PDB file of all heavy atoms in Angstrom:
ATOM      1  N   GLU F1391     -25.483  -8.382  42.496  1.00 95.00           N
ATOM      2  CA  GLU F1391     -24.696  -7.930  41.279  1.00 95.00           C
ATOM      3  C   GLU F1391     -24.924  -6.427  41.199  1.00 95.00           C
ATOM      4  O   GLU F1391     -25.862  -5.829  41.734  1.00 95.00           O
ATOM      5  CB  GLU F1391     -25.247  -8.680  40.031  1.00 95.00           C
ATOM      6  CG  GLU F1391     -24.919 -10.118  40.088  1.00 95.00           C
ATOM      7  CD  GLU F1391     -25.320 -10.810  38.699  1.00 95.00           C
ATOM      8  OE1 GLU F1391     -26.106 -10.127  37.897  1.00 95.00           O
ATOM      9  OE2 GLU F1391     -25.087 -11.944  38.439  1.00 95.00           O
ATOM     10  N   GLY F1392     -24.010  -5.722  40.400  1.00 96.00           N
ATOM     11  CA  GLY F1392     -24.105  -4.372  40.162  1.00 96.00           C
ATOM     12  C   GLY F1392     -22.780  -3.594  40.631  1.00 96.00           C
ATOM     13  O   GLY F1392     -21.808  -4.189  40.857  1.00 96.00           O
ATOM     14  N   TYR F1393     -22.927  -2.256  40.526  1.00 97.00           N
ATOM     15  CA  TYR F1393     -21.766  -1.462  40.787  1.00 97.00           C
ATOM     16  C   TYR F1393     -21.904  -0.595  42.049  1.00 97.00           C
ATOM     17  O   TYR F1393     -20.876   0.141  42.454  1.00 97.00           O
ATOM     18  CB  TYR F1393     -21.328  -0.647  39.592  1.00 97.00           C
ATOM     19  CG  TYR F1393     -20.936  -1.476  38.378  1.00 97.00           C
ATOM     20  CD1 TYR F1393     -21.816  -1.872  37.381  1.00 97.00           C
ATOM     21  CD2 TYR F1393     -19.726  -2.189  38.311  1.00 97.00           C
ATOM     22  CE1 TYR F1393     -21.583  -2.662  36.321  1.00 97.00           C
ATOM     23  CE2 TYR F1393     -19.478  -2.980  37.307  1.00 97.00           C
ATOM     24  CZ  TYR F1393     -20.341  -3.221  36.308  1.00 97.00           C
ATOM     25  OH  TYR F1393     -19.978  -4.068  35.309  1.00 97.00           O
ATOM     26  N   GLU F1394     -23.118  -0.592  42.515  1.00 97.00           N
ATOM     27  CA  GLU F1394     -23.288   0.161  43.808  1.00 97.00           C
ATOM     28  C   GLU F1394     -23.221  -0.948  44.923  1.00 97.00           C
ATOM     29  O   GLU F1394     -23.778  -2.083  44.816  1.00 97.00           O
ATOM     30  CB  GLU F1394     -24.730   0.763  43.795  1.00 97.00           C
ATOM     31  CG  GLU F1394     -24.847   1.958  42.853  1.00 97.00           C
ATOM     32  CD  GLU F1394     -26.187   2.507  42.827  1.00 97.00           C
ATOM     33  OE1 GLU F1394     -26.658   3.019  43.968  1.00 97.00           O
ATOM     34  OE2 GLU F1394     -26.906   2.514  41.868  1.00 97.00           O
ATOM     35  N   ALA F1395     -22.622  -0.571  46.039  1.00 97.00           N
ATOM     36  CA  ALA F1395     -22.417  -1.602  47.082  1.00 97.00           C
ATOM     37  C   ALA F1395     -22.671  -1.098  48.410  1.00 97.00           C
ATOM     38  O   ALA F1395     -22.462   0.177  48.776  1.00 97.00           O
ATOM     39  CB  ALA F1395     -21.001  -2.121  46.892  1.00 97.00           C
ATOM     40  N   GLU F1396     -22.983  -1.993  49.442  1.00 98.00           N
ATOM     41  CA  GLU F1396     -23.079  -1.724  50.769  1.00 98.00           C
ATOM     42  C   GLU F1396     -22.168  -2.782  51.587  1.00 98.00           C
ATOM     43  O   GLU F1396     -22.216  -3.920  51.188  1.00 98.00           O
ATOM     44  CB  GLU F1396     -24.403  -1.958  51.260  1.00 98.00           C
ATOM     45  CG  GLU F1396     -25.448  -0.873  50.642  1.00 98.00           C
ATOM     46  CD  GLU F1396     -26.904  -1.092  51.042  1.00 98.00           C
ATOM     47  OE1 GLU F1396     -27.245  -2.277  51.713  1.00 98.00           O
ATOM     48  OE2 GLU F1396     -27.826  -0.230  50.859  1.00 98.00           O
ATOM     49  N   VAL F1397     -21.359  -2.221  52.455  1.00 98.00           N
ATOM     50  CA  VAL F1397     -20.508  -3.027  53.244  1.00 98.00           C
ATOM     51  C   VAL F1397     -21.185  -3.288  54.591  1.00 98.00           C
ATOM     52  O   VAL F1397     -21.737  -2.460  55.262  1.00 98.00           O
ATOM     53  CB  VAL F1397     -19.155  -2.312  53.553  1.00 98.00           C
ATOM     54  CG1 VAL F1397     -18.305  -3.117  54.609  1.00 98.00           C
ATOM     55  CG2 VAL F1397     -18.303  -2.344  52.237  1.00 98.00           C
ATOM     56  N   TYR F1398     -21.226  -4.569  55.076  1.00 97.00           N
ATOM     57  CA  TYR F1398     -21.742  -5.002  56.271  1.00 97.00           C
ATOM     58  C   TYR F1398     -20.804  -5.842  57.137  1.00 97.00           C
ATOM     59  O   TYR F1398     -19.791  -6.321  56.585  1.00 97.00           O
ATOM     60  CB  TYR F1398     -22.943  -6.054  55.919  1.00 97.00           C
ATOM     61  CG  TYR F1398     -24.126  -5.422  55.456  1.00 97.00           C
ATOM     62  CD1 TYR F1398     -24.220  -5.116  54.169  1.00 97.00           C
ATOM     63  CD2 TYR F1398     -25.289  -4.998  56.280  1.00 97.00           C
ATOM     64  CE1 TYR F1398     -25.330  -4.452  53.630  1.00 97.00           C
ATOM     65  CE2 TYR F1398     -26.302  -4.452  55.745  1.00 97.00           C
ATOM     66  CZ  TYR F1398     -26.456  -4.180  54.407  1.00 97.00           C
ATOM     67  OH  TYR F1398     -27.547  -3.456  53.876  1.00 97.00           O
ATOM     68  N   ASP F1399     -20.850  -5.677  58.438  1.00 97.00           N
ATOM     69  CA  ASP F1399     -20.173  -6.643  59.267  1.00 97.00           C
ATOM     70  C   ASP F1399     -21.169  -7.406  60.119  1.00 97.00           C
ATOM     71  O   ASP F1399     -22.474  -7.259  59.729  1.00 97.00           O
ATOM     72  CB  ASP F1399     -19.193  -5.944  60.228  1.00 97.00           C
ATOM     73  CG  ASP F1399     -19.892  -4.909  61.143  1.00 97.00           C
ATOM     74  OD1 ASP F1399     -21.137  -4.957  61.319  1.00 97.00           O
ATOM     75  OD2 ASP F1399     -19.171  -4.103  61.630  1.00 97.00           O
ATOM     76  N   LYS F1400     -20.884  -8.117  61.057  1.00 96.00           N
ATOM     77  CA  LYS F1400     -21.772  -9.113  61.724  1.00 96.00           C
ATOM     78  C   LYS F1400     -22.856  -8.234  62.520  1.00 96.00           C
ATOM     79  O   LYS F1400     -23.988  -8.789  62.799  1.00 96.00           O
ATOM     80  CB  LYS F1400     -21.027  -9.972  62.703  1.00 96.00           C
ATOM     81  CG  LYS F1400     -20.296  -9.306  63.746  1.00 96.00           C
ATOM     82  CD  LYS F1400     -19.493 -10.302  64.471  1.00 96.00           C
ATOM     83  CE  LYS F1400     -18.664  -9.579  65.569  1.00 96.00           C
ATOM     84  NZ  LYS F1400     -17.744 -10.589  66.384  1.00 96.00           N
ATOM     85  N   ARG F1401     -22.510  -6.950  62.791  1.00 96.00           N
ATOM     86  CA  ARG F1401     -23.615  -6.101  63.478  1.00 96.00           C
ATOM     87  C   ARG F1401     -24.636  -5.344  62.461  1.00 96.00           C
ATOM     88  O   ARG F1401     -25.546  -4.823  62.890  1.00 96.00           O
ATOM     89  CB  ARG F1401     -22.861  -5.072  64.315  1.00 96.00           C
ATOM     90  CG  ARG F1401     -22.225  -5.751  65.542  1.00 96.00           C
ATOM     91  CD  ARG F1401     -21.244  -4.869  66.284  1.00 96.00           C
ATOM     92  NE  ARG F1401     -20.177  -4.410  65.443  1.00 96.00           N
ATOM     93  CZ  ARG F1401     -19.040  -5.164  65.448  1.00 96.00           C
ATOM     94  NH1 ARG F1401     -19.049  -6.364  66.098  1.00 96.00           N
ATOM     95  NH2 ARG F1401     -18.034  -4.807  64.619  1.00 96.00           N
ATOM     96  N   GLY F1402     -24.190  -5.325  61.218  1.00 97.00           N
ATOM     97  CA  GLY F1402     -25.077  -4.644  60.251  1.00 97.00           C
ATOM     98  C   GLY F1402     -24.412  -3.708  59.351  1.00 97.00           C
ATOM     99  O   GLY F1402     -23.277  -3.874  59.086  1.00 97.00           O
ATOM    100  N   PHE F1403     -25.151  -2.748  58.779  1.00 98.00           N
ATOM    101  CA  PHE F1403     -24.661  -1.856  57.772  1.00 98.00           C
ATOM    102  C   PHE F1403     -23.416  -0.991  58.268  1.00 98.00           C
ATOM    103  O   PHE F1403     -23.491  -0.516  59.365  1.00 98.00           O
ATOM    104  CB  PHE F1403     -25.853  -0.953  57.275  1.00 98.00           C
ATOM    105  CG  PHE F1403     -25.355   0.134  56.260  1.00 98.00           C
ATOM    106  CD1 PHE F1403     -25.284  -0.152  54.904  1.00 98.00           C
ATOM    107  CD2 PHE F1403     -25.116   1.505  56.728  1.00 98.00           C
ATOM    108  CE1 PHE F1403     -24.821   0.815  53.960  1.00 98.00           C
ATOM    109  CE2 PHE F1403     -24.788   2.450  55.818  1.00 98.00           C
ATOM    110  CZ  PHE F1403     -24.577   2.012  54.466  1.00 98.00           C
ATOM    111  N   VAL F1404     -22.388  -0.894  57.435  1.00 98.00           N
ATOM    112  CA  VAL F1404     -21.212  -0.072  57.695  1.00 98.00           C
ATOM    113  C   VAL F1404     -21.046   1.176  56.833  1.00 98.00           C
ATOM    114  O   VAL F1404     -20.896   2.331  57.268  1.00 98.00           O
ATOM    115  CB  VAL F1404     -19.926  -0.903  57.637  1.00 98.00           C
ATOM    116  CG1 VAL F1404     -18.727  -0.125  57.890  1.00 98.00           C
ATOM    117  CG2 VAL F1404     -20.011  -2.051  58.618  1.00 98.00           C
ATOM    118  N   ALA F1405     -21.203   0.916  55.433  1.00 98.00           N
ATOM    119  CA  ALA F1405     -20.777   2.029  54.553  1.00 98.00           C
ATOM    120  C   ALA F1405     -21.400   1.701  53.232  1.00 98.00           C
ATOM    121  O   ALA F1405     -21.705   0.631  52.754  1.00 98.00           O
ATOM    122  CB  ALA F1405     -19.356   2.280  54.489  1.00 98.00           C
ATOM    123  N   PHE F1406     -21.597   2.827  52.418  1.00 98.00           N
ATOM    124  CA  PHE F1406     -21.974   2.736  51.013  1.00 98.00           C
ATOM    125  C   PHE F1406     -20.861   3.141  50.079  1.00 98.00           C
ATOM    126  O   PHE F1406     -20.100   4.019  50.438  1.00 98.00           O
ATOM    127  CB  PHE F1406     -23.207   3.706  50.887  1.00 98.00           C
ATOM    128  CG  PHE F1406     -23.676   4.008  49.544  1.00 98.00           C
ATOM    129  CD1 PHE F1406     -24.460   2.941  48.866  1.00 98.00           C
ATOM    130  CD2 PHE F1406     -23.389   5.177  48.843  1.00 98.00           C
ATOM    131  CE1 PHE F1406     -24.776   3.123  47.514  1.00 98.00           C
ATOM    132  CE2 PHE F1406     -23.912   5.319  47.555  1.00 98.00           C
ATOM    133  CZ  PHE F1406     -24.580   4.404  46.909  1.00 98.00           C
ATOM    134  N   GLY F1407     -20.925   2.476  48.854  1.00 98.00           N
ATOM    135  CA  GLY F1407     -19.892   2.924  47.937  1.00 98.00           C
ATOM    136  C   GLY F1407     -19.976   2.153  46.638  1.00 98.00           C
ATOM    137  O   GLY F1407     -21.138   1.838  46.269  1.00 98.00           O
ATOM    138  N   THR F1408     -18.907   1.938  45.947  1.00 98.00           N
ATOM    139  CA  THR F1408     -19.076   1.342  44.614  1.00 98.00           C
ATOM    140  C   THR F1408     -18.266  -0.042  44.643  1.00 98.00           C
ATOM    141  O   THR F1408     -17.397  -0.222  45.505  1.00 98.00           O
ATOM    142  CB  THR F1408     -18.381   2.146  43.506  1.00 98.00           C
ATOM    143  OG1 THR F1408     -16.948   2.323  43.765  1.00 98.00           O
ATOM    144  CG2 THR F1408     -19.058   3.518  43.471  1.00 98.00           C
ATOM    145  N   TYR F1409     -18.584  -0.892  43.845  1.00 98.00           N
ATOM    146  CA  TYR F1409     -17.987  -2.270  43.733  1.00 98.00           C
ATOM    147  C   TYR F1409     -17.495  -2.561  42.358  1.00 98.00           C
ATOM    148  O   TYR F1409     -18.029  -2.426  41.284  1.00 98.00           O
ATOM    149  CB  TYR F1409     -19.077  -3.318  43.980  1.00 98.00           C
ATOM    150  CG  TYR F1409     -18.694  -4.693  43.916  1.00 98.00           C
ATOM    151  CD1 TYR F1409     -17.866  -5.212  44.827  1.00 98.00           C
ATOM    152  CD2 TYR F1409     -19.166  -5.485  42.910  1.00 98.00           C
ATOM    153  CE1 TYR F1409     -17.395  -6.563  44.887  1.00 98.00           C
ATOM    154  CE2 TYR F1409     -18.569  -6.955  42.852  1.00 98.00           C
ATOM    155  CZ  TYR F1409     -17.799  -7.427  43.832  1.00 98.00           C
ATOM    156  OH  TYR F1409     -17.360  -8.682  43.724  1.00 98.00           O
ATOM    157  N   SER F1410     -16.072  -2.932  42.315  1.00 96.00           N
ATOM    158  CA  SER F1410     -15.398  -3.226  41.147  1.00 96.00           C
ATOM    159  C   SER F1410     -15.183  -4.833  41.065  1.00 96.00           C
ATOM    160  O   SER F1410     -14.318  -5.165  41.854  1.00 96.00           O
ATOM    161  CB  SER F1410     -14.033  -2.460  41.013  1.00 96.00           C
ATOM    162  OG  SER F1410     -14.379  -1.144  40.892  1.00 96.00           O
ATOM    163  N   PRO F1411     -15.907  -5.553  40.291  1.00 94.00           N
ATOM    164  CA  PRO F1411     -15.906  -6.983  40.544  1.00 94.00           C
ATOM    165  C   PRO F1411     -14.514  -7.572  40.053  1.00 94.00           C
ATOM    166  O   PRO F1411     -14.239  -8.857  40.490  1.00 94.00           O
ATOM    167  CB  PRO F1411     -17.009  -7.464  39.511  1.00 94.00           C
ATOM    168  CG  PRO F1411     -17.250  -6.369  38.600  1.00 94.00           C
ATOM    169  CD  PRO F1411     -16.891  -5.066  39.359  1.00 94.00           C
ATOM    170  N   ASN F1412     -13.679  -6.987  39.248  1.00 91.00           N
ATOM    171  CA  ASN F1412     -12.474  -7.523  38.823  1.00 91.00           C
ATOM    172  C   ASN F1412     -11.288  -6.888  39.280  1.00 91.00           C
ATOM    173  O   ASN F1412     -10.133  -7.204  38.941  1.00 91.00           O
ATOM    174  CB  ASN F1412     -12.452  -7.573  37.270  1.00 91.00           C
ATOM    175  CG  ASN F1412     -13.630  -8.393  36.740  1.00 91.00           C
ATOM    176  OD1 ASN F1412     -13.839  -9.541  37.146  1.00 91.00           O
ATOM    177  ND2 ASN F1412     -14.414  -7.775  35.709  1.00 91.00           N
ATOM    178  N   SER F1413     -11.435  -5.930  40.122  1.00 94.00           N
ATOM    179  CA  SER F1413     -10.251  -5.071  40.662  1.00 94.00           C
ATOM    180  C   SER F1413      -9.652  -5.586  41.937  1.00 94.00           C
ATOM    181  O   SER F1413     -10.474  -6.245  42.730  1.00 94.00           O
ATOM    182  CB  SER F1413     -10.678  -3.599  40.800  1.00 94.00           C
ATOM    183  OG  SER F1413      -9.721  -2.914  41.375  1.00 94.00           O
ATOM    184  N   ARG F1414      -8.428  -5.438  42.175  1.00 95.00           N
ATOM    185  CA  ARG F1414      -7.924  -5.647  43.456  1.00 95.00           C
ATOM    186  C   ARG F1414      -8.527  -4.872  44.512  1.00 95.00           C
ATOM    187  O   ARG F1414      -8.697  -5.319  45.597  1.00 95.00           O
ATOM    188  CB  ARG F1414      -6.363  -5.359  43.471  1.00 95.00           C
ATOM    189  CG  ARG F1414      -5.682  -5.695  44.747  1.00 95.00           C
ATOM    190  CD  ARG F1414      -4.152  -5.530  44.614  1.00 95.00           C
ATOM    191  NE  ARG F1414      -3.859  -4.077  44.423  1.00 95.00           N
ATOM    192  CZ  ARG F1414      -3.462  -3.299  45.399  1.00 95.00           C
ATOM    193  NH1 ARG F1414      -3.364  -3.699  46.638  1.00 95.00           N
ATOM    194  NH2 ARG F1414      -3.125  -2.028  45.110  1.00 95.00           N
ATOM    195  N   ILE F1415      -8.945  -3.604  44.084  1.00 96.00           N
ATOM    196  CA  ILE F1415      -9.751  -2.762  45.114  1.00 96.00           C
ATOM    197  C   ILE F1415     -11.248  -2.972  44.789  1.00 96.00           C
ATOM    198  O   ILE F1415     -11.691  -2.341  43.851  1.00 96.00           O
ATOM    199  CB  ILE F1415      -9.336  -1.187  44.877  1.00 96.00           C
ATOM    200  CG1 ILE F1415      -7.861  -1.062  45.035  1.00 96.00           C
ATOM    201  CG2 ILE F1415     -10.097  -0.361  45.875  1.00 96.00           C
ATOM    202  CD1 ILE F1415      -7.397   0.399  44.627  1.00 96.00           C
ATOM    203  N   ARG F1416     -11.786  -3.752  45.611  1.00 97.00           N
ATOM    204  CA  ARG F1416     -13.221  -4.175  45.321  1.00 97.00           C
ATOM    205  C   ARG F1416     -14.269  -3.089  45.639  1.00 97.00           C
ATOM    206  O   ARG F1416     -15.260  -2.927  44.933  1.00 97.00           O
ATOM    207  CB  ARG F1416     -13.586  -5.546  45.883  1.00 97.00           C
ATOM    208  CG  ARG F1416     -12.813  -6.706  45.362  1.00 97.00           C
ATOM    209  CD  ARG F1416     -13.178  -6.948  43.929  1.00 97.00           C
ATOM    210  NE  ARG F1416     -12.326  -7.875  43.273  1.00 97.00           N
ATOM    211  CZ  ARG F1416     -12.535  -9.293  43.364  1.00 97.00           C
ATOM    212  NH1 ARG F1416     -13.416  -9.755  43.968  1.00 97.00           N
ATOM    213  NH2 ARG F1416     -11.558  -9.947  42.597  1.00 97.00           N
ATOM    214  N   PHE F1417     -13.974  -2.444  46.794  1.00 98.00           N
ATOM    215  CA  PHE F1417     -14.954  -1.468  47.288  1.00 98.00           C
ATOM    216  C   PHE F1417     -14.262  -0.153  47.442  1.00 98.00           C
ATOM    217  O   PHE F1417     -13.118  -0.032  47.927  1.00 98.00           O
ATOM    218  CB  PHE F1417     -15.541  -1.997  48.604  1.00 98.00           C
ATOM    219  CG  PHE F1417     -16.425  -0.887  49.366  1.00 98.00           C
ATOM    220  CD1 PHE F1417     -17.849  -0.824  48.885  1.00 98.00           C
ATOM    221  CD2 PHE F1417     -16.013  -0.189  50.251  1.00 98.00           C
ATOM    222  CE1 PHE F1417     -18.607   0.031  49.478  1.00 98.00           C
ATOM    223  CE2 PHE F1417     -16.817   0.904  50.954  1.00 98.00           C
ATOM    224  CZ  PHE F1417     -18.088   0.904  50.554  1.00 98.00           C
ATOM    225  N   ARG F1418     -14.937   0.903  47.035  1.00 98.00           N
ATOM    226  CA  ARG F1418     -14.504   2.292  47.184  1.00 98.00           C
ATOM    227  C   ARG F1418     -15.524   3.188  47.967  1.00 98.00           C
ATOM    228  O   ARG F1418     -16.681   3.115  47.558  1.00 98.00           O
ATOM    229  CB  ARG F1418     -14.214   3.009  45.889  1.00 98.00           C
ATOM    230  CG  ARG F1418     -12.920   2.581  45.226  1.00 98.00           C
ATOM    231  CD  ARG F1418     -12.670   3.130  43.863  1.00 98.00           C
ATOM    232  NE  ARG F1418     -11.354   2.945  43.344  1.00 98.00           N
ATOM    233  CZ  ARG F1418     -11.061   1.841  42.668  1.00 98.00           C
ATOM    234  NH1 ARG F1418     -11.881   0.782  42.412  1.00 98.00           N
ATOM    235  NH2 ARG F1418      -9.705   1.713  42.087  1.00 98.00           N
ATOM    236  N   PHE F1419     -15.209   3.629  49.088  1.00 98.00           N
ATOM    237  CA  PHE F1419     -16.013   4.298  49.910  1.00 98.00           C
ATOM    238  C   PHE F1419     -16.660   5.561  49.366  1.00 98.00           C
ATOM    239  O   PHE F1419     -15.979   6.379  48.797  1.00 98.00           O
ATOM    240  CB  PHE F1419     -15.277   4.632  51.201  1.00 98.00           C
ATOM    241  CG  PHE F1419     -16.147   5.499  52.192  1.00 98.00           C
ATOM    242  CD1 PHE F1419     -16.883   4.932  53.207  1.00 98.00           C
ATOM    243  CD2 PHE F1419     -16.012   6.863  52.310  1.00 98.00           C
ATOM    244  CE1 PHE F1419     -17.479   5.651  54.096  1.00 98.00           C
ATOM    245  CE2 PHE F1419     -16.671   7.610  53.258  1.00 98.00           C
ATOM    246  CZ  PHE F1419     -17.544   6.927  54.191  1.00 98.00           C
ATOM    247  N   LEU F1420     -18.047   5.802  49.538  1.00 98.00           N
ATOM    248  CA  LEU F1420     -18.677   7.006  49.113  1.00 98.00           C
ATOM    249  C   LEU F1420     -19.317   7.687  50.307  1.00 98.00           C
ATOM    250  O   LEU F1420     -19.504   8.965  50.264  1.00 98.00           O
ATOM    251  CB  LEU F1420     -19.743   6.778  48.210  1.00 98.00           C
ATOM    252  CG  LEU F1420     -19.325   6.328  46.698  1.00 98.00           C
ATOM    253  CD1 LEU F1420     -20.584   6.035  45.880  1.00 98.00           C
ATOM    254  CD2 LEU F1420     -18.378   7.287  45.970  1.00 98.00           C
ATOM    255  N   GLY F1421     -19.719   6.986  51.333  1.00 97.00           N
ATOM    256  CA  GLY F1421     -20.309   7.635  52.474  1.00 97.00           C
ATOM    257  C   GLY F1421     -20.858   6.577  53.585  1.00 97.00           C
ATOM    258  O   GLY F1421     -20.954   5.461  53.269  1.00 97.00           O
ATOM    259  N   PHE F1422     -21.388   7.243  54.578  1.00 97.00           N
ATOM    260  CA  PHE F1422     -21.977   6.456  55.605  1.00 97.00           C
ATOM    261  C   PHE F1422     -23.483   6.300  55.533  1.00 97.00           C
ATOM    262  O   PHE F1422     -24.137   5.724  56.365  1.00 97.00           O
ATOM    263  CB  PHE F1422     -21.536   6.818  57.073  1.00 97.00           C
ATOM    264  CG  PHE F1422     -20.108   6.690  57.359  1.00 97.00           C
ATOM    265  CD1 PHE F1422     -19.295   7.722  57.709  1.00 97.00           C
ATOM    266  CD2 PHE F1422     -19.592   5.428  57.357  1.00 97.00           C
ATOM    267  CE1 PHE F1422     -17.923   7.586  57.945  1.00 97.00           C
ATOM    268  CE2 PHE F1422     -18.264   5.237  57.677  1.00 97.00           C
ATOM    269  CZ  PHE F1422     -17.396   6.339  57.919  1.00 97.00           C
ATOM    270  N   GLU F1423     -24.088   6.936  54.578  1.00 95.00           N
ATOM    271  CA  GLU F1423     -25.551   6.793  54.344  1.00 95.00           C
ATOM    272  C   GLU F1423     -25.796   6.365  52.839  1.00 95.00           C
ATOM    273  O   GLU F1423     -25.079   6.731  51.960  1.00 95.00           O
ATOM    274  CB  GLU F1423     -26.199   8.075  54.543  1.00 95.00           C
ATOM    275  CG  GLU F1423     -26.014   8.684  55.968  1.00 95.00           C
ATOM    276  CD  GLU F1423     -26.700  10.023  56.071  1.00 95.00           C
ATOM    277  OE1 GLU F1423     -27.463  10.450  55.090  1.00 95.00           O
ATOM    278  OE2 GLU F1423     -26.697  10.597  57.183  1.00 95.00           O
ATOM    279  N   ARG F1424     -26.772   5.451  52.670  1.00 94.00           N
ATOM    280  CA  ARG F1424     -27.142   4.973  51.474  1.00 94.00           C
ATOM    281  C   ARG F1424     -27.652   6.256  50.492  1.00 94.00           C
ATOM    282  O   ARG F1424     -28.506   6.925  51.028  1.00 94.00           O
ATOM    283  CB  ARG F1424     -28.152   3.969  51.548  1.00 94.00           C
ATOM    284  CG  ARG F1424     -27.785   2.714  52.356  1.00 94.00           C
ATOM    285  CD  ARG F1424     -29.039   1.864  52.491  1.00 94.00           C
ATOM    286  NE  ARG F1424     -28.662   0.582  53.190  1.00 94.00           N
ATOM    287  CZ  ARG F1424     -28.790   0.382  54.534  1.00 94.00           C
ATOM    288  NH1 ARG F1424     -29.172   1.477  55.243  1.00 94.00           N
ATOM    289  NH2 ARG F1424     -28.402  -0.791  55.188  1.00 94.00           N
ATOM    290  N   GLU F1425     -27.256   6.227  49.306  1.00 94.00           N
ATOM    291  CA  GLU F1425     -27.733   7.288  48.323  1.00 94.00           C
ATOM    292  C   GLU F1425     -27.939   6.653  47.013  1.00 94.00           C
ATOM    293  O   GLU F1425     -27.296   5.660  46.665  1.00 94.00           O
ATOM    294  CB  GLU F1425     -26.727   8.384  48.238  1.00 94.00           C
ATOM    295  CG  GLU F1425     -26.526   9.170  49.438  1.00 94.00           C
ATOM    296  CD  GLU F1425     -25.532  10.423  49.195  1.00 94.00           C
ATOM    297  OE1 GLU F1425     -25.997  11.315  48.503  1.00 94.00           O
ATOM    298  OE2 GLU F1425     -24.531  10.443  49.733  1.00 94.00           O
ATOM    299  N   ARG F1426     -28.719   7.240  46.225  1.00 94.00           N
ATOM    300  CA  ARG F1426     -28.929   6.795  44.875  1.00 94.00           C
ATOM    301  C   ARG F1426     -28.000   7.446  43.967  1.00 94.00           C
ATOM    302  O   ARG F1426     -27.885   8.704  44.013  1.00 94.00           O
ATOM    303  CB  ARG F1426     -30.357   7.130  44.350  1.00 94.00           C
ATOM    304  CG  ARG F1426     -30.576   6.481  43.030  1.00 94.00           C
ATOM    305  CD  ARG F1426     -32.076   6.802  42.574  1.00 94.00           C
ATOM    306  NE  ARG F1426     -32.373   6.377  41.187  1.00 94.00           N
ATOM    307  CZ  ARG F1426     -33.443   6.533  40.621  1.00 94.00           C
ATOM    308  NH1 ARG F1426     -34.482   7.268  41.227  1.00 94.00           N
ATOM    309  NH2 ARG F1426     -33.599   6.143  39.383  1.00 94.00           N
ATOM    310  N   ILE F1427     -27.160   6.754  43.177  1.00 96.00           N
ATOM    311  CA  ILE F1427     -26.158   7.369  42.314  1.00 96.00           C
ATOM    312  C   ILE F1427     -26.768   7.763  41.091  1.00 96.00           C
ATOM    313  O   ILE F1427     -27.204   7.004  40.205  1.00 96.00           O
ATOM    314  CB  ILE F1427     -24.971   6.416  42.125  1.00 96.00           C
ATOM    315  CG1 ILE F1427     -24.254   6.115  43.407  1.00 96.00           C
ATOM    316  CG2 ILE F1427     -23.976   7.024  41.147  1.00 96.00           C
ATOM    317  CD1 ILE F1427     -23.143   5.183  43.306  1.00 96.00           C
ATOM    318  N   ASN F1428     -26.819   9.163  40.843  1.00 96.00           N
ATOM    319  CA  ASN F1428     -27.322   9.695  39.660  1.00 96.00           C
ATOM    320  C   ASN F1428     -26.822  11.119  39.405  1.00 96.00           C
ATOM    321  O   ASN F1428     -25.826  11.480  40.066  1.00 96.00           O
ATOM    322  CB  ASN F1428     -28.925   9.826  39.747  1.00 96.00           C
ATOM    323  CG  ASN F1428     -29.499  10.504  40.928  1.00 96.00           C
ATOM    324  OD1 ASN F1428     -28.674  11.356  41.503  1.00 96.00           O
ATOM    325  ND2 ASN F1428     -30.682  10.115  41.294  1.00 96.00           N
ATOM    326  N   GLY F1429     -27.248  11.862  38.561  1.00 96.00           N
ATOM    327  CA  GLY F1429     -26.734  13.126  38.285  1.00 96.00           C
ATOM    328  C   GLY F1429     -26.843  14.106  39.478  1.00 96.00           C
ATOM    329  O   GLY F1429     -25.971  14.880  39.735  1.00 96.00           O
ATOM    330  N   ASP F1430     -28.050  13.975  40.267  1.00 97.00           N
ATOM    331  CA  ASP F1430     -28.143  14.858  41.380  1.00 97.00           C
ATOM    332  C   ASP F1430     -27.155  14.454  42.446  1.00 97.00           C
ATOM    333  O   ASP F1430     -26.648  15.405  43.161  1.00 97.00           O
ATOM    334  CB  ASP F1430     -29.481  14.618  41.934  1.00 97.00           C
ATOM    335  CG  ASP F1430     -30.542  15.240  41.076  1.00 97.00           C
ATOM    336  OD1 ASP F1430     -30.238  16.097  40.235  1.00 97.00           O
ATOM    337  OD2 ASP F1430     -31.758  14.769  41.197  1.00 97.00           O
TER     338      ASP F1430
END
């Protein structure tokens, strides 16, 4: 659960982004590296 998300395929990690649980667009891309979403 949450609003930060990681996309995976059968080989492993693909991308980092946000997750909208009720939207037609469930995942929005932010980057290819995991980051902590904060003011910085």
Side-chain angles (χ1 to χ4, degrees):
E1391 295 181 354
Y1393 297 100
E1394 298 178 53
E1396 296 175 348
V1397 167
Y1398 287 81
D1399 60 19
K1400 62 186 178 183
R1401 286 170 293 276
F1403 175 80
V1404 175
F1406 169 74
T1408 63
Y1409 178 70
S1410 295
N1412 300 311
S1413 173
R1414 185 175 67 96
I1415 306 169
R1416 291 293 166 89
F1417 175 81
R1418 288 176 167 85
F1419 175 87
L1420 292 177
F1422 290 121
E1423 295 182 5
R1424 299 175 179 89
E1425 295 186 67
R1426 183 179 178 185
I1427 297 180
N1428 53 26
D1430 291 338

